[in-house]
Amino acid sequence: MPDILLHDIVAALGGELHGDDNTRIDSLAPLDSAGPGALSFVSHPKYRQGLAICKASCVIVPPDLKDTALARGPCIVSDAPYLYFARLTQWWRKAMDAQRAPLGRQGGVHPTAVVDASAQVHPSATVGPLCVVERGARIGALSQLRARVTVGEDCKIGERCLLHSGVVIGADGFGFAPDGDRWEKIEQLGAVAIGDDVEIGANTCIDRGALQDTVIEDGVKLDNLIQVGHNVRIGRNTAIAGCAGIAGSAVIGPQCTIGGGAIVLGHLEIAAHVHISAGTLVSKSISKPGHYTGIFPLDDNASWERNAASLKQLHRLRERIKQLESDVKK
Amino acid sequence: MPDILLHDIVAALGGELHGDDNTRIDSLAPLDSAGPGALSFVSHPKYRQGLAICKASCVIVPPDLKDTALARGPCIVSDAPYLYFARLTQWWRKAMDAQRAPLGRQGGVHPTAVVDASAQVHPSATVGPLCVVERGARIGALSQLRARVTVGEDCKIGERCLLHSGVVIGADGFGFAPDGDRWEKIEQLGAVAIGDDVEIGANTCIDRGALQDTVIEDGVKLDNLIQVGHNVRIGRNTAIAGCAGIAGSAVIGPQCTIGGGAIVLGHLEIAAHVHISAGTLVSKSISKPGHYTGIFPLDDNASWERNAASLKQLHRLRERIKQLESDVKK
Amino acid sequence: MPDILLHDIVAALGGELHGDDNTRIDSLAPLDSAGPGALSFVSHPKYRQGLAICKASCVIVPPDLKDTALARGPCIVSDAPYLYFARLTQWWRKAMDAQRAPLGRQGGVHPTAVVDASAQVHPSATVGPLCVVERGARIGALSQLRARVTVGEDCKIGERCLLHSGVVIGADGFGFAPDGDRWEKIEQLGAVAIGDDVEIGANTCIDRGALQDTVIEDGVKLDNLIQVGHNVRIGRNTAIAGCAGIAGSAVIGPQCTIGGGAIVLGHLEIAAHVHISAGTLVSKSISKPGHYTGIFPLDDNASWERNAASLKQLHRLRERIKQLESDVKK
């Protein structure tokens, strides 16, 4: 159990502390379940009521919730409580780790990892147990490969990246030329180039390029079980949720978000600041920032069946409406 | 080739045997392809005709098919033939295994697995080749980790669980706070708590919680390549088919079924006994048991194109109908 | 940097070379970015303009682009430029590899792989680092398991197959019989039988059959993160893109293509030469060759919301149209 004082937190992370700085904190918790000993946060005035009744020992709040917070006990005022909380989780993680036996993530190559002699792993990088790093691959400073990660031949991982268990970087792109009925393999001669500060979720796959590299720019965040095809480019700070698929040669701009299970077809271009809803299939390029969706709305099955049957008649219904309009005008 | 008599089966599993209990059984087979030597089953009267012509040496049948079954040869009568058959497959598996060299799944940690010294693996549990069990993780009695499974720090697996190859339990949840254009990582301080009798399919991922645990209750069955986000709770005996994605903080009730490729958005609640069709996106909470669907109906591509084009006009078509109704009334 | 002359290429691969056969080639590149030293290709007259201005040292062209190609420099004329290019990538890969340290893919079992004593690995096959090959499995001649592949008990891989990192062959199919509220496991007693010349992408899973085998026929190509359920049969030369899911007992004919993220429901039959669009859910058998689609069209979110709301009224709209038609006729 960590033994931390509010004073320690504010000394490390800043923020304006109101209340007893010797208050002991033993956990971080969401507002609705935080009890005595917990430190919580609230970022939006719409949670004012929850804040007022929260039993946490301290709450991180924006300036306009300061009075509500103070009425219930200690608080830390910050212009960006959610960001403050994110940094607190990082600090907390380090504080907890310091009290435990080492985890073995402090740099170095685990003895069970298979790293080719020609691969370059920065001395500050960590290659976890049962990873494979192939010929000519490079792993940058402070990057971490958790357990069972594959980084294929000649692929490059930047600095401060985090690759979770089961990630596969640099499998062959899916490229075949038809030869009568059968398929002839197109060897995938490019690699994968991943920038700095990229996080890649468990069992996500990024294929090597056919002739040139697949490129993941700095700050990109990919969730679990995502497929990124060959020669894709994903722009700076774009975040993609789990189970999404990005087909070959798609170019996705910076600062985009793509929802879970969405599919982006190949050879499309998506502009910066585009947001795609979960479950949406992107079938054409998007040149304008904005929020885009294409989802069949959920319904009880019986209603869905009726509407789906009508949907298959929709073009004819449209023609019948046109005919009616013409009939009514006469 | 196993050398098993009907007598052995009924002695082990019960059921009312009619016919020669010295009949030799050398395989289990579906009704439509079962030949001499095979034992098959039929659970529903709609298969009566297939039963009548089936060449199997014995068929497991419900009471109301007993006469049809007897007219063709030996049968085992059971009130629940499908359940009987499930138990038979388990018994058969053990009988086959006893005739082969050991598989190495009878408990114990494979020498190539990487198990942290602080992890607790029950002596009756099996940790297969090339698995990783991190600091503080716990594996309960009789649970099996097949090959290449990761169980992350502090995650807990209950008793009699089965985790297939490539499963990743306890990768970080996908949590970031915006910091201008870039993303600040929210350390994921919770773990994953998995109950008893849970089966998890190949390459499926269950993320650790942000502050509290992600929870999979007793008896849950997850197929392959499923993504379960941080702080999700999946209720007792719920079964989810392959390629589904459950986004963060979704709460799914007990006794539900979710079809393949379905996506459940984050922070939703789904009641008990809800059944979601394959390929459906669940975009809102569901409080009432039932069957829910949201799928664009399949069509030949040309028809689809016409209807999809009209669909983008649907709101306007609705207004044109309203106008027509008003015109016609005049 | 490879040091290759056009002469070497034509000597190995054939084709009709026009221009200086001592031209040096140092890279392969797509038409739009190929510069001096590069060899490119063009397969369709629609790229004639791009060809005319391309700076590549040589371009592979079909006969009807020969004159355009010659006007700009050396060319190789081939009846099938794309197929020629595919073979060139294979030749190029070998030429590049010959100039580097060995990759360790030239046959044999990596010392970190866990191969059961009863498994049969052909001497010309390659089992990469940290693979698991279970009891009774067979790996055919010249087949390659890249890193971290699992081939389960009794599963059979044909000749010249390529299995990418993270593939799981032969996990249990998803089969349970209901027993009151809980599920009783149906042991999966079949295996997986994979033909010759099959390629399987990273982290793709193919489950073992319940009673009989799951079958992947010769020449099938599967992309990454695909789920293939128990007792599925996929016909010769069918190609399936990433994130697709094929549910149990579906039978897919030969020479089909299935787009990324598509889902095929269980127990369906799909005829030969059927092409399914990405993101489509196949909910019924398809007996006629052709192109099939079922996708909600992408729209900006506000337009989508309006149309989606109307869609839930579609059946009623259809009835209102019918009423209008009846009213107008009076």
Side-chain angles (χ1 to χ4, degrees):
Chain A
M1 187 64 79
D3 188 21
I4 288 165
L5 305 181
L6 273 182
H7 169 267
D8 303 324
I9 290 170
V10 179
L13 300 172
E16 189 186 304
L17 174 63
H18 298 266
D20 180 3
D21 68 356
N22 279 318
T23 306
R24 263 173 216 285
I25 298 297
D26 61 18
S27 62
L28 310 184
L31 198 67
D32 58 0
S33 69
L39 175 51
S40 192
F41 79 101
V42 58
S43 56
H44 197 277
K46 70 181 169 183
Y47 299 114
R48 187 184 300 268
Q49 209 159 5
L51 170 60
I53 60 168
C54 177
K55 298 274 191 293
S57 289
C58 179
V59 184
I60 308 159
V61 297
D64 55 356
L65 288 175
K66 177 180 162 182
D67 292 344
T68 311
L70 275 178
R72 49 155 302 289
C75 69
I76 297 169
V77 178
S78 162
D79 288 335
Y82 192 39
L83 182 57
Y84 190 102
F85 184 76
R87 289 181 179 139
L88 172 59
T89 61
Q90 297 171 16
W91 182 87
W92 189 267
R93 168 93 211 188
K94 278 184 200 141
M96 287 200 308
D97 273 359
Q99 304 185 14
R100 299 181 70 172
L103 182 59
R105 288 185 188 155
Q106 296 81 358
V109 174
H110 195 277
T112 61
V114 177
V115 178
D116 189 89
S118 69
Q120 297 172 35
V121 177
H122 192 277
S124 67
T126 305
V127 176
L130 303 171
C131 287
V132 175
V133 180
E134 294 183 352
R135 184 172 72 170
R138 283 169 289 165
I139 314 291
L142 297 168
S143 282
Q144 291 186 32
L145 279 54
R146 294 280 163 91
R148 303 197 301 101
V149 170
T150 299
V151 177
E153 192 180 355
D154 296 329
C155 294
K156 179 183 166 295
I157 312 293
E159 304 188 353
R160 296 175 304 281
C161 291
L162 175 54
L163 277 61
H164 286 283
S165 194
V167 162
V168 180
I169 306 296
D172 284 350
F174 197 59
F176 301 91
D179 176 20
D181 277 352
R182 60 179 288 286
W183 298 99
E184 183 80 31
K185 181 172 177 70
I186 297 172
E187 281 288 340
Q188 304 292 301
L189 303 171
V192 179
I194 292 176
D196 299 330
D197 303 299
V198 170
E199 183 162 337
I200 302 178
N203 282 347
T204 280
C205 302
I206 305 178
D207 279 349
R208 64 178 58 245
L211 296 172
Q212 293 162 318
D213 289 353
T214 302
V215 178
I216 310 295
E217 297 186 1
D218 294 348
V220 165
K221 310 296 178 189
L222 303 180
D223 198 356
N224 298 353
L225 288 167
I226 291 171
Q227 155 65 356
V228 178
H230 53 180
N231 298 103
V232 164
R233 172 179 285 267
I234 300 180
R236 202 178 167 89
N237 296 329
T238 282
I240 304 183
C243 306
I246 315 296
S249 301
V251 176
I252 298 176
Q255 309 296 145
C256 294
T257 60
I258 296 185
I263 299 279
V264 177
L265 296 191
H267 297 273
L268 303 184
E269 292 199 30
I270 295 182
H273 294 282
V274 165
H275 305 285
I276 304 292
S277 295
T280 292
L281 182 120
V282 181
S283 53
K284 56 179 184 190
S285 291
I286 298 178
S287 59
K288 222 174 112 184
H291 179 189
Y292 297 83
T293 305
I295 303 159
F296 201 104
L298 181 79
D299 216 335
D300 67 272
N301 189 66
S303 302
W304 170 80
E305 278 191 355
R306 276 193 298 274
N307 289 319
S310 298
L311 179 51
K312 294 186 78 164
Q313 306 294 328
L314 186 54
H315 182 68
R316 286 207 50 216
L317 291 178
R318 193 179 176 183
E319 286 177 341
R320 284 160 68 184
I321 292 169
K322 208 171 162 184
Q323 180 64 46
L324 278 164
E325 286 169 336
S326 153
D327 291 349
V328 167
K329 267 189 193 153
K330 279 173 202 165
Chain B
M1 188 66 79
D3 188 21
I4 288 165
L5 305 181
L6 273 182
H7 169 267
D8 303 324
I9 290 170
V10 179
L13 299 171
E16 189 185 305
L17 174 64
H18 298 266
D20 179 4
D21 68 355
N22 279 317
T23 305
R24 264 173 215 286
I25 298 297
D26 60 18
S27 62
L28 310 183
L31 198 67
D32 58 359
S33 69
L39 175 51
S40 191
F41 78 103
V42 58
S43 55
H44 198 278
K46 72 180 168 183
Y47 299 113
R48 187 184 299 269
Q49 208 160 7
L51 170 61
I53 59 168
C54 177
K55 299 274 191 292
S57 290
C58 179
V59 184
I60 308 158
V61 297
D64 55 357
L65 288 176
K66 176 179 160 185
D67 292 342
T68 310
L70 275 177
R72 49 156 302 289
C75 70
I76 297 169
V77 177
S78 163
D79 287 336
Y82 192 39
L83 182 57
Y84 190 102
F85 184 74
R87 291 185 176 135
L88 172 58
T89 62
Q90 298 171 16
W91 182 87
W92 189 268
R93 169 92 211 187
K94 278 184 200 139
M96 287 200 307
D97 274 359
Q99 305 186 10
R100 298 183 68 172
L103 182 59
R105 286 183 187 157
Q106 297 80 358
V109 175
H110 194 276
T112 61
V114 178
V115 178
D116 190 89
S118 69
Q120 296 171 36
V121 177
H122 192 278
S124 66
T126 306
V127 177
L130 304 171
C131 287
V132 175
V133 179
E134 293 184 353
R135 184 171 73 170
R138 283 170 289 165
I139 315 292
L142 296 169
S143 281
Q144 292 186 31
L145 279 54
R146 294 281 162 90
R148 302 198 300 100
V149 169
T150 300
V151 177
E153 193 179 355
D154 296 331
C155 294
K156 179 182 165 298
I157 312 294
E159 304 188 352
R160 296 174 305 280
C161 291
L162 175 53
L163 278 60
H164 286 282
S165 194
V167 161
V168 180
I169 305 297
D172 284 351
F174 197 59
F176 302 91
D179 176 19
D181 277 352
R182 60 178 288 286
W183 299 100
E184 184 79 31
K185 181 172 176 72
I186 298 172
E187 280 288 339
Q188 303 293 300
L189 304 171
V192 179
I194 292 177
D196 299 330
D197 302 299
V198 171
E199 182 162 339
I200 303 179
N203 283 346
T204 279
C205 301
I206 304 177
D207 280 349
R208 64 178 58 246
L211 296 172
Q212 293 162 318
D213 289 352
T214 303
V215 178
I216 310 295
E217 297 186 1
D218 294 348
V220 165
K221 310 296 177 188
L222 303 179
D223 197 358
N224 298 353
L225 289 166
I226 291 172
Q227 154 66 357
V228 178
H230 53 181
N231 298 104
V232 164
R233 173 178 285 264
I234 301 181
R236 201 177 168 89
N237 296 329
T238 282
I240 305 184
C243 306
I246 315 296
S249 301
V251 176
I252 298 176
Q255 309 296 146
C256 294
T257 59
I258 297 184
I263 299 280
V264 177
L265 295 191
H267 297 273
L268 302 185
E269 293 199 30
I270 295 183
H273 294 283
V274 165
H275 305 283
I276 305 292
S277 296
T280 292
L281 183 119
V282 180
S283 54
K284 56 180 185 187
S285 291
I286 298 177
S287 59
K288 219 174 113 185
H291 179 191
Y292 297 83
T293 306
I295 303 158
F296 202 103
L298 180 80
D299 216 335
D300 67 273
N301 190 65
S303 302
W304 171 80
E305 278 191 356
R306 277 192 298 274
N307 289 320
S310 298
L311 179 51
K312 294 186 79 163
Q313 306 295 327
L314 185 55
H315 182 67
R316 284 208 49 217
L317 291 179
R318 192 178 175 183
E319 287 176 342
R320 285 160 67 185
I321 293 169
K322 209 170 164 184
Q323 181 63 46
L324 277 164
E325 286 169 334
S326 153
D327 291 350
V328 167
K329 268 189 192 151
K330 278 174 203 165
Chain C
M1 186 66 78
D3 187 22
I4 287 166
L5 305 181
L6 274 183
H7 168 268
D8 303 324
I9 291 170
V10 179
L13 299 172
E16 186 187 307
L17 174 63
H18 297 265
D20 180 3
D21 68 355
N22 279 318
T23 305
R24 264 174 214 285
I25 298 298
D26 61 19
S27 62
L28 309 184
L31 198 69
D32 58 358
S33 68
L39 175 51
S40 191
F41 78 103
V42 56
S43 55
H44 198 276
K46 71 182 169 183
Y47 298 114
R48 189 185 297 271
Q49 209 159 5
L51 171 61
I53 59 170
C54 177
K55 297 274 190 292
S57 289
C58 179
V59 184
I60 307 157
V61 297
D64 55 355
L65 288 176
K66 176 179 163 185
D67 292 344
T68 311
L70 276 177
R72 51 157 300 289
C75 69
I76 296 169
V77 178
S78 162
D79 287 335
Y82 192 39
L83 181 59
Y84 191 101
F85 184 75
R87 291 184 177 138
L88 173 58
T89 61
Q90 298 172 14
W91 183 87
W92 189 268
R93 169 92 211 186
K94 277 184 200 141
M96 287 200 308
D97 273 0
Q99 305 186 12
R100 301 182 68 170
L103 181 59
R105 285 184 189 156
Q106 296 81 358
V109 174
H110 195 276
T112 62
V114 178
V115 178
D116 189 89
S118 69
Q120 296 172 34
V121 178
H122 191 278
S124 66
T126 306
V127 176
L130 304 170
C131 287
V132 175
V133 179
E134 294 184 353
R135 184 171 71 170
R138 284 170 288 165
I139 315 291
L142 296 168
S143 281
Q144 292 187 32
L145 279 55
R146 294 280 161 89
R148 304 199 299 100
V149 169
T150 299
V151 177
E153 192 181 354
D154 295 330
C155 294
K156 179 184 166 295
I157 312 293
E159 304 188 353
R160 295 173 306 280
C161 291
L162 175 53
L163 278 60
H164 285 283
S165 194
V167 162
V168 180
I169 305 297
D172 284 351
F174 197 60
F176 303 91
D179 176 20
D181 277 353
R182 60 178 289 285
W183 299 100
E184 183 80 30
K185 181 172 176 71
I186 298 172
E187 281 287 339
Q188 304 291 301
L189 303 171
V192 180
I194 292 176
D196 300 329
D197 303 298
V198 170
E199 183 162 339
I200 303 178
N203 283 347
T204 281
C205 301
I206 304 177
D207 279 350
R208 66 177 57 247
L211 295 173
Q212 293 162 317
D213 289 352
T214 302
V215 177
I216 311 294
E217 298 185 1
D218 295 347
V220 165
K221 310 297 177 186
L222 303 179
D223 197 358
N224 299 353
L225 289 166
I226 291 172
Q227 155 65 358
V228 178
H230 53 181
N231 298 104
V232 164
R233 173 179 285 265
I234 301 181
R236 201 176 167 89
N237 296 327
T238 281
I240 304 183
C243 306
I246 315 296
S249 301
V251 177
I252 298 176
Q255 309 295 144
C256 294
T257 60
I258 296 184
I263 299 279
V264 177
L265 295 190
H267 297 273
L268 303 184
E269 291 198 32
I270 296 183
H273 294 282
V274 164
H275 306 284
I276 304 292
S277 296
T280 292
L281 182 118
V282 180
S283 54
K284 56 179 184 188
S285 291
I286 299 178
S287 59
K288 221 175 112 184
H291 179 190
Y292 296 84
T293 306
I295 303 158
F296 202 103
L298 179 80
D299 216 335
D300 67 273
N301 190 66
S303 301
W304 171 80
E305 278 190 354
R306 276 193 299 273
N307 289 320
S310 298
L311 179 53
K312 293 185 80 164
Q313 306 294 328
L314 187 54
H315 181 69
R316 286 207 48 218
L317 291 179
R318 193 179 174 183
E319 286 176 340
R320 284 160 68 185
I321 292 170
K322 208 170 163 184
Q323 180 65 45
L324 277 164
E325 287 169 335
S326 152
D327 291 350
V328 167
K329 267 192 191 151
K330 278 172 201 165

